[in-house]
Amino acid sequence: MGRLTIKDVARAAGVHPATASRALNPLLPGRISAGTTERVARAAAELGYVADPVGRSLRTQRSGTVGVLVPDLLNPFYPPVLRGVQEVLRGHGFEALIASTDNDPGRAGALLDVFRGRRCEGYVIASASRRDDAVGRLIAEGVPVVLVNRLTEAAAPSVTSDDARGIGQAVRHLAELGHTRIGHLAGPSGISVTRAREAAWRAGLRAAGLTPERSWVVRAGQYTASAGERACGTLLDRGEVTAILAGNDMIAVGCYAAFAARGLSCPEDVSLVGINNMPLAEWLRPSLTTVAIDQEELGARAARLLLARLADPAARVGDVALPTELVVRRSTGPVRP
Amino acid sequence: MGRLTIKDVARAAGVHPATASRALNPLLPGRISAGTTERVARAAAELGYVADPVGRSLRTQRSGTVGVLVPDLLNPFYPPVLRGVQEVLRGHGFEALIASTDNDPGRAGALLDVFRGRRCEGYVIASASRRDDAVGRLIAEGVPVVLVNRLTEAAAPSVTSDDARGIGQAVRHLAELGHTRIGHLAGPSGISVTRAREAAWRAGLRAAGLTPERSWVVRAGQYTASAGERACGTLLDRGEVTAILAGNDMIAVGCYAAFAARGLSCPEDVSLVGINNMPLAEWLRPSLTTVAIDQEELGARAARLLLARLADPAARVGDVALPTELVVRRSTGPVRP
DNA sequence: TTGAAAGCGCTAACAT
DNA sequence: ATGTTAGCGCTTTCAA
């Protein structure tokens, strides 16, 4: 089964290979007669010809490949994002290379080198820290980059969630349940969403007529369940808050463990709100009240932004902020009298 | 910033491009003098040269690319598998293209066509059903394929888990806790692991001196939490069993919801055992007793098998069965007196 | 051991 | 509108 080349198609259609190539690539300069186009298309279809991307890439200097970097593939938040990215990319003939830094910013450089080696045309970066050398360099070089969820000091088109809205709803929801001391388990500093969420929490409290206290915030070193468990333990042991806004759902997952370890029941003793509405959030016990973000849409929009820049490098593609919405489940309840 | 080519390296080292190419590819026929090799290597390093995979692929007819197909990227079982696959592949200069069928066997064909179009050299298939046309065709064509976790009627090298051992331990564990009526929530028929696990459950009961009843098995249509919840509901409503072996951890996740809906507490009223020990299994409440499979190793071994076949298409690479081990957590307890 | 030359499959520039 | 030619970057004959 020797590979089928464009020569085979050309021969079958009785034309020159270059003509066949043009006939199969619709919008090229120097159009082809309808009849020829038709014959070539038919021949290609009958033979089952698929253009070799390697030969094409070598000639066009475009790989049809995009690098996607996520911070933690084991965090259920990201698979849906990848799904959105891939769905859009495949629809446009692009393919994604995927890598995870596994929450180690130091690995980004090496992984981006792999992508570069593969001649990726552009990048979707969901793993950026605010001052991220590797990503900053990429942006400085003028390589098409779209940031997802996390921004860098270097500016690039981005898709984020409008956390302020959902977090505001979350705090109001808790306040309406009678909570006046609402803690926050922030993610690692150095990541843009961490700041944004903490600021939104602060603003939300003020809007509800409450005064955020310094001691109500504990910083989890990572957006992981175990970091969340530790941070939550610290916060609980201070004994001040009756409700907690976790920096994301994984931190919230860790909270359940911290509650159990202290014999606290949720929501009777403590109310808990997460952020992300990751796929398993509704299956936790109690099911998790959380600020929902459309993860797949996040990825899809990022892919579209990137495709726009790829199609026209001069295009000024903007930023997108997706709305967030509180989803009330069973992890929040009235404050203990 | 024009891309760096081998010509640049050759010029810097004062040799012919062909010589430079040979110097950089260690084990080629026609060896190069140590001195030249040295100079070329130094020049390449100083310039930061990385061979263009496109040019190389065109010449060698090898893409350095492998297609990986999983059934459900949203199932936390698979990300670690992918991690294992990627780790090994990258270590050997290969890159993975990843796709998920999203539990729809019908999508496999189209996704494999995408892979084929990208000239993947081989495939890691974790999504196969027992009679899987698309995968069967691949195998019949002699394309290097390694199956993970799920076997097809067509034979190909595979990496699976030795579920029998772990499931045997699980049933014994439950029996020792006094359970005599132990149900099973099987996965979708048509997938090899489903059969293997059901058979192991049956064998485990017999080994414990118990007789498996037909009515103790309910089949979940998918390996998902919602399918698990439905199936578990059916089983519970029959009111016969005091313990449940779920077909995998996602089905077990659904069980927690079914328990809650019926006011049953776990493990006081029902004991539950999952299979996989997916990340998050330990974070569920109660934490899930489960038959652990080393997911990352599953992926890593599959990648190694595939690399062996790619390096030598005639190589007879065998099958691997990884050991499983029961991990006892808090979802299992003594039967109610 | 190294150089010269050819060619992988494709498409863009040029020629007709 | 179509054919001709050339060349993308690399490796692998073949020759020296």
Side-chain angles (χ1 to χ4, degrees):
Chain A
M1 205 335 309
R3 287 245 156 276
L4 220 45
T5 81
I6 190 132
K7 287 187 187 172
D8 299 313
V9 176
R11 192 174 317 122
V15 299
H16 191 275
T19 307
S21 170
R22 281 178 286 226
L24 293 175
N25 277 38
L27 23 100
L28 283 186
R31 278 212 305 297
I32 296 292
S33 75
T36 305
T37 304
E38 169 66 18
R39 262 183 310 137
V40 171
R42 187 189 310 280
E46 277 176 9
L47 295 175
Y49 168 77
V50 182
D52 187 331
V54 178
R56 172 177 291 164
S57 289
L58 187 58
R59 175 69 228 224
T60 60
Q61 299 291 42
R62 305 169 13 97
S63 63
T65 283
V66 161
V68 182
L69 201 55
V70 298
D72 183 8
L73 196 50
L74 272 45
N75 179 336
F77 176 76
Y78 291 101
V81 175
L82 292 179
R83 179 148 105 172
V85 169
Q86 289 190 317
E87 173 88 11
V88 170
L89 288 183
R90 291 225 170 92
H92 290 76
F94 280 77
E95 194 62 21
L97 297 184
I98 295 166
S100 169
T101 63
D102 296 333
N103 281 318
D104 175 0
R107 298 192 50 191
L111 293 168
L112 287 176
D113 282 346
V114 171
F115 286 166
R116 219 189 299 252
R118 290 276 166 175
R119 303 297 187 264
C120 286
E121 293 182 46
Y123 299 88
V124 173
I125 308 283
S127 65
S129 49
R130 283 182 41 246
R131 32 194 354 158
D132 193 309
D133 283 353
V135 174
R137 225 172 303 135
L138 220 52
I139 296 173
E141 286 172 14
V143 181
V145 171
V146 173
L147 300 174
V148 174
N149 216 16
R150 301 182 176 190
L151 306 181
T152 58
E153 289 181 347
S158 66
V159 182
T160 54
S161 52
D162 173 23
D163 292 337
R165 178 185 144 89
I167 290 177
Q169 293 174 345
V171 174
R172 192 169 339 120
H173 165 65
L174 291 170
E176 283 168 4
L177 288 168
H179 295 276
T180 55
R181 288 166 301 154
I182 301 169
H184 178 47
L185 297 175
S189 55
I191 292 178
S192 65
V193 288
T194 300
R195 287 199 163 188
R197 288 172 184 178
E198 187 173 339
W201 164 78
R202 221 174 280 281
L205 283 181
R206 294 233 170 74
L210 304 170
T211 306
E213 299 287 340
R214 235 180 203 308
S215 59
W216 297 355
V217 182
V218 174
R219 199 165 296 284
Q222 305 256 78
Y223 278 115
T224 60
S226 52
E229 180 182 17
R230 282 191 302 275
C232 184
T234 303
L235 182 60
L236 291 173
D237 292 344
R238 289 182 188 159
E240 302 181 37
V241 306
T242 60
I244 296 176
L245 173 69
N248 77 353
D249 288 350
M250 288 304 284
I251 289 177
V253 162
C255 291
Y256 286 116
F259 296 164
R262 283 160 186 75
L264 298 173
S265 63
C266 172
E268 289 77 8
D269 299 312
V270 205
S271 282
L272 178 64
V273 178
I275 302 177
N276 276 353
N277 194 26
M278 66 182 194
L280 281 163
E282 62 174 312
W283 297 101
L284 300 173
R285 294 290 118 190
S287 60
L288 183 64
T289 294
T290 185
V291 176
I293 297 174
D294 187 338
Q295 294 129 177
E296 192 163 339
E297 182 69 9
L298 212 57
R301 296 295 280 271
R304 272 193 222 110
L305 252 45
L306 187 58
L307 287 172
R309 267 214 64 189
L310 256 29
D312 174 12
R316 270 257 133 286
V317 314
D319 298 323
V320 173
L322 296 180
T324 60
E325 189 81 40
L326 182 69
V327 176
V328 177
R329 296 206 182 92
R330 316 301 291 270
S331 66
T332 46
V335 68
R336 264 233 153 122
Chain B
M1 235 283 339
R3 288 246 155 271
L4 221 44
T5 80
I6 190 132
K7 286 187 188 173
D8 300 314
V9 176
R11 194 175 314 126
V15 298
H16 190 276
T19 307
S21 170
R22 281 180 284 231
L24 294 174
N25 277 36
L27 23 99
L28 281 188
R31 278 213 304 301
I32 296 291
S33 77
T36 305
T37 303
E38 169 67 20
R39 263 184 309 137
V40 171
R42 186 190 310 281
E46 277 177 9
L47 296 175
Y49 168 76
V50 181
D52 187 332
V54 180
R56 172 177 291 164
S57 290
L58 187 59
R59 176 66 227 222
T60 59
Q61 299 290 44
R62 307 170 9 98
S63 62
T65 284
V66 162
V68 182
L69 201 54
V70 298
D72 183 7
L73 197 51
L74 272 44
N75 179 336
F77 176 76
Y78 292 101
V81 175
L82 292 179
R83 180 147 103 172
V85 169
Q86 289 190 316
E87 173 88 10
V88 171
L89 288 183
R90 292 224 170 93
H92 290 75
F94 280 77
E95 193 62 22
L97 297 184
I98 296 166
S100 169
T101 62
D102 296 333
N103 282 317
D104 175 1
R107 296 193 51 190
L111 294 168
L112 287 176
D113 282 346
V114 171
F115 287 165
R116 218 190 298 252
R118 290 275 165 175
R119 302 298 186 263
C120 285
E121 293 183 47
Y123 300 88
V124 173
I125 308 283
S127 65
S129 49
R130 284 182 40 246
R131 32 195 355 159
D132 193 307
D133 283 353
V135 175
R137 225 171 301 136
L138 221 53
I139 296 173
E141 285 172 15
V143 180
V145 170
V146 173
L147 300 174
V148 173
N149 217 17
R150 302 183 175 190
L151 306 181
T152 57
E153 290 181 346
S158 65
V159 183
T160 52
S161 52
D162 173 22
D163 292 336
R165 179 185 145 86
I167 290 176
Q169 292 175 346
V171 173
R172 191 167 343 117
H173 166 66
L174 291 170
E176 284 168 4
L177 289 168
H179 295 276
T180 55
R181 287 167 300 155
I182 301 169
H184 178 48
L185 297 175
S189 54
I191 292 180
S192 65
V193 289
T194 300
R195 286 201 164 187
R197 288 172 184 177
E198 187 175 339
W201 164 78
R202 221 173 281 281
L205 283 181
R206 293 233 170 75
L210 304 170
T211 306
E213 300 287 339
R214 236 180 204 306
S215 59
W216 297 355
V217 182
V218 175
R219 199 165 298 284
Q222 306 256 79
Y223 278 116
T224 61
S226 52
E229 181 182 16
R230 281 191 302 276
C232 184
T234 303
L235 183 60
L236 291 174
D237 292 344
R238 290 183 188 160
E240 302 181 35
V241 305
T242 62
I244 296 175
L245 171 69
N248 77 353
D249 287 351
M250 289 302 284
I251 289 178
V253 163
C255 291
Y256 286 115
F259 296 165
R262 284 160 185 74
L264 298 173
S265 63
C266 172
E268 290 77 8
D269 299 312
V270 206
S271 283
L272 178 65
V273 178
I275 302 177
N276 278 351
N277 193 27
M278 65 181 196
L280 284 181
E282 61 174 313
W283 296 100
L284 300 173
R285 293 292 118 192
S287 59
L288 183 64
T289 295
T290 184
V291 175
I293 298 174
D294 187 337
Q295 294 128 174
E296 191 162 340
E297 183 67 9
L298 212 57
R301 296 295 279 272
R304 273 194 221 108
L305 253 44
L306 187 59
L307 287 172
R309 268 214 63 189
L310 290 174
D312 174 11
R316 269 260 135 283
V317 314
D319 298 322
V320 173
L322 296 179
T324 60
E325 190 81 40
L326 183 69
V327 176
V328 178
R329 296 206 182 92
R330 317 302 291 270
S331 65
T332 46
V335 68
R336 263 232 155 126

